[in-house]
Amino acid sequence: MFTRPALPEDFLIGTATASYQVEGAANEEGRTSCIWDDFAKVPGAVYEMQDGSVAADQYHRYKEDIELMAKLGFGAYRFSVSWPRILPHGGTQVNRKGIEYYRNLCKKLHKHNMKACCTIYHWDMPSEIQAKGGWANRQTAYDLAYLAEILFMELGDLVDMWITINEAMCITVLGYLLGIHAPGIKDEDQFRKSVHHVNLAHGLIVKEYRKTGLSAPIGITHNLETPRPASCDKKDQIAADHHRAIRSGLYMDPIFRKRYPEYVTDELKWSFPIEKDDMQIISQPIDFLGINYYSEHAVQWSDTAPFNVTMAPRWEEKTSGIGWAITPHGLLRLLKWTSAYTGGKLPIYITENGAACDDKPVIEKADDGSETIRIHDNQRIRYLSDHLNICKEAIRECVPLKGYFCWSFIDNYEWTHGYTKRFGIVYCDYETQRRIPKDSAYFLRDVMAGYGD
Ligand code: FCB
């Protein structure tokens, strides 16, 4: 039996997506290319060179999608804005069609009593901005702040929650250090620059926002990692600290401590291209912190590995679609760590949590002979149920957790994996673009309808 957690009345439950992963319509109504369109063309970078040109076609189907969200009972939708749809070629000229699309999307959400939660940057940078150096170039931070300024002006009356940037760690570590995400760069110097410029962009956006007088909360979303050391050995604990400094501290310390982690500045002797008021700008107060959580690592010390960290084996069951260990207990540790780190008062939202499973549609016949397609994604139900139970526990332990967004509303383009990994609670038949709610969608419907005990 699954436990069905009862959550506080005002606990916000929504689903999340990102523009590049769901919208499609890549060449329509003025949108120009982004770095993921380009990266998909690099042989070997993305599964079968698949790209987001059609994706789940949400650009044409947002009404249907929002109606389904409403029917299931969700209170919010987290979406992101495609930068080159608003500012083609990364220029300064606003594409009215793009603005109109997001205004209509927000209005439709409001019509169905859902909150519009808008992420300003979820990785689809215009190709032209990348050509000038992307995040390794300081100017990019100002360019993104310019996009934000436009969005505050054009969508400010409709957006209920703003997220400046999604997962600075993935943008920089995967994109500039390991080279496995767009733009595919492997260069420590560019990596360090990109870290600082992404942090700066966040600060500039918040600064811009405070000038507008808008009152919706603004925050940032990080995929924080606080791994467990594989033993009580002091060295394994140091390895865990190193991992946390690189994966979380590089992005959290500038905001909350106005500095970079000591491990990187004092031990690794890294320098960052910090200019006069940068740390002041980056560390401006935010209204909430978003956390994306999928799994917790176990780490151990290595004399030779980068940052002295290697991954240790884990014992937990893995998700059937992508093989990530299912570690709800790690979410509790992370939430408690984050709450203590931020002082216990700052509202926290889980802005992504979910599982890619090996979903198999089956045709079922009812007594009257009619046929329906069903997806019995029991592993995902267990995953969501266990993580929601942890939310309940965290709240009991005084973590100021205010809401939860499931990743994802619908199956979509999973970056380098193309369309092979399905994270949706709604199945997307990419041939027909038909949407089929999986059992997990009905599970969340029941949680939201109050069947929590
Ligand atoms: C996160 C990303 C999101 C999605 C999930 C599975 O790192 O923010 O776009 O791909 O992973």
Side-chain angles (χ1 to χ4, degrees):
M1 263 300 262
F2 304 122
T3 58
R4 290 186 289 188
L7 290 150
E9 278 277 301
D10 59 351
F11 191 79
L12 189 63
I13 300 187
T15 59
T17 63
S19 45
Y20 193 77
Q21 295 177 276
V22 295
E23 277 180 11
N27 302 311
E28 288 177 48
E29 299 193 324
R31 179 199 180 274
T32 58
S33 74
C34 77
I35 53 174
W36 275 91
D37 295 313
D38 303 332
F39 196 55
K41 294 193 181 82
V42 177
V46 171
Y47 176 81
E48 288 189 350
M49 295 173 113
Q50 293 177 342
D51 63 25
S53 52
V54 178
D57 195 31
Q58 192 168 74
Y59 192 74
H60 298 116
R61 292 166 200 267
Y62 72 93
K63 288 188 187 142
E64 175 190 346
D65 285 351
I66 292 171
E67 278 159 23
L68 178 53
M69 288 172 209
K71 208 163 142 204
L72 291 166
F74 286 105
Y77 180 45
R78 176 180 171 226
F79 61 95
S80 80
V81 165
S82 157
W83 186 345
R85 200 181 286 293
I86 300 294
L87 299 172
H89 303 290
T92 53
Q93 202 67 37
V94 177
N95 174 23
R96 299 309 314 171
K97 287 280 179 196
I99 297 290
E100 211 177 287
Y101 171 69
Y102 295 109
R103 283 195 67 80
N104 287 339
L105 185 138
C106 292
K107 282 186 194 157
K108 180 76 179 164
L109 286 167
H110 286 174
K111 188 167 166 215
H112 293 278
N113 293 319
M114 269 183 276
K115 289 196 168 159
C117 174
C118 176
T119 307
I120 295 168
Y121 184 72
H122 198 132
W123 309 358
D124 37 4
M125 174 183 289
S127 307
E128 293 80 358
I129 304 264
Q130 187 61 50
K132 290 185 247 165
W135 287 113
N137 179 358
R138 186 176 171 93
Q139 180 57 37
T140 297
Y142 298 100
D143 291 345
L144 185 64
Y146 173 72
L147 169 71
E149 202 186 320
I150 302 289
L151 296 179
F152 297 151
M153 219 152 59
E154 300 284 356
L155 307 178
D157 57 327
L158 296 173
V159 169
D160 302 291
M161 241 176 122
W162 292 96
I163 293 173
T164 57
I165 289 173
N166 181 72
E167 298 188 350
M169 190 283 281
C170 285
I171 296 168
T172 55
V173 172
L174 307 187
Y176 288 79
L177 185 64
L178 304 177
I180 54 177
H181 269 196
I185 293 167
K186 266 191 212 175
D187 181 301
E188 205 185 284
D189 180 53
Q190 290 198 51
F191 164 66
R192 277 185 280 107
K193 288 181 178 148
S194 73
V195 168
H196 185 64
H197 296 148
V198 170
N199 288 335
L200 178 64
H202 159 77
L204 290 170
I205 295 171
V206 177
K207 190 173 161 202
E208 207 52 62
Y209 187 67
R210 298 303 182 204
K211 287 189 210 153
T212 64
L214 291 166
S215 60
I218 188 164
I220 187 167
T221 276
H222 284 310
N223 51 330
L224 299 177
E225 290 187 23
T226 53
R228 61 184 115 122
S231 79
C232 296
D233 190 321
K234 188 86 192 121
K235 280 193 143 180
D236 287 348
Q237 293 182 11
I238 296 172
D241 289 344
H242 287 183
H243 190 84
R244 194 180 53 220
I246 300 291
R247 298 286 176 124
S248 305
L250 276 180
Y251 316 96
M252 289 283 276
D253 286 7
I255 297 177
F256 295 101
R257 304 283 186 268
K258 226 193 256 192
R259 58 163 164 75
Y260 281 98
E262 272 163 25
Y263 167 59
V264 301
T265 54
D266 299 3
E267 279 189 54
L268 300 178
K269 307 272 186 236
W270 280 3
S271 61
F272 298 90
I274 303 171
E275 293 187 14
K276 210 165 128 263
D277 298 325
D278 286 6
M279 297 317 268
Q280 196 63 39
I281 293 169
I282 297 170
S283 62
Q284 286 170 94
I286 49 176
D287 303 319
F288 67 89
L289 180 70
I291 297 179
N292 292 351
Y293 180 83
Y294 291 91
S295 191
E296 181 194 64
H297 293 294
V299 298
Q300 59 199 12
W301 176 273
S302 150
D303 286 333
T304 51
F307 316 117
N308 306 111
V309 182
T310 51
M311 296 297 151
R314 284 172 290 177
W315 52 271
E316 293 96 342
E317 175 188 340
K318 294 180 170 54
T319 55
S320 56
I322 200 164
W324 294 355
I326 304 174
T327 58
H329 37 280
L331 177 59
L332 186 60
R333 283 191 274 269
L334 175 61
L335 285 170
K336 284 162 75 173
W337 177 86
T338 308
S339 166
Y341 175 95
T342 55
K345 297 264 185 310
L346 185 71
I348 297 174
Y349 287 84
I350 293 171
T351 40
E352 285 180 29
N353 174 245
C357 302
D358 193 8
D359 302 321
K360 296 255 185 301
V362 290
I363 297 173
E364 287 183 359
K365 248 197 170 125
D367 289 345
D368 64 2
S370 63
E371 288 185 343
T372 47
I373 303 176
R374 299 292 304 267
I375 294 102
H376 302 304
D377 55 340
N378 287 356
Q379 190 190 49
R380 183 177 290 106
I381 293 173
R382 259 190 293 124
Y383 183 102
L384 298 175
S385 173
D386 288 349
H387 286 81
L388 283 166
N389 269 323
I390 292 293
C391 292
K392 201 167 58 171
E393 206 169 321
I395 292 166
R396 256 202 315 268
E397 295 202 29
C398 297
V399 171
L401 180 63
K402 303 297 177 197
Y404 173 97
F405 291 78
C406 167
W407 184 275
S408 176
F409 170 66
I410 189 163
D411 295 333
N412 58 57
Y413 180 75
E414 181 46 33
W415 310 114
T416 54
H417 299 286
Y419 295 96
T420 59
K421 307 297 176 198
R422 294 181 176 271
F423 273 94
I425 53 161
V426 172
Y427 187 88
C428 183
D429 178 344
Y430 294 114
E431 297 287 304
T432 60
Q433 290 294 347
R434 179 169 168 197
R435 276 80 168 123
I436 307 161
K438 303 177 192 176
D439 285 358
S440 56
Y442 301 124
F443 163 72
L444 287 180
R445 176 201 66 191
D446 283 359
V447 168
M448 293 180 293
Y451 295 93
D453 293 311

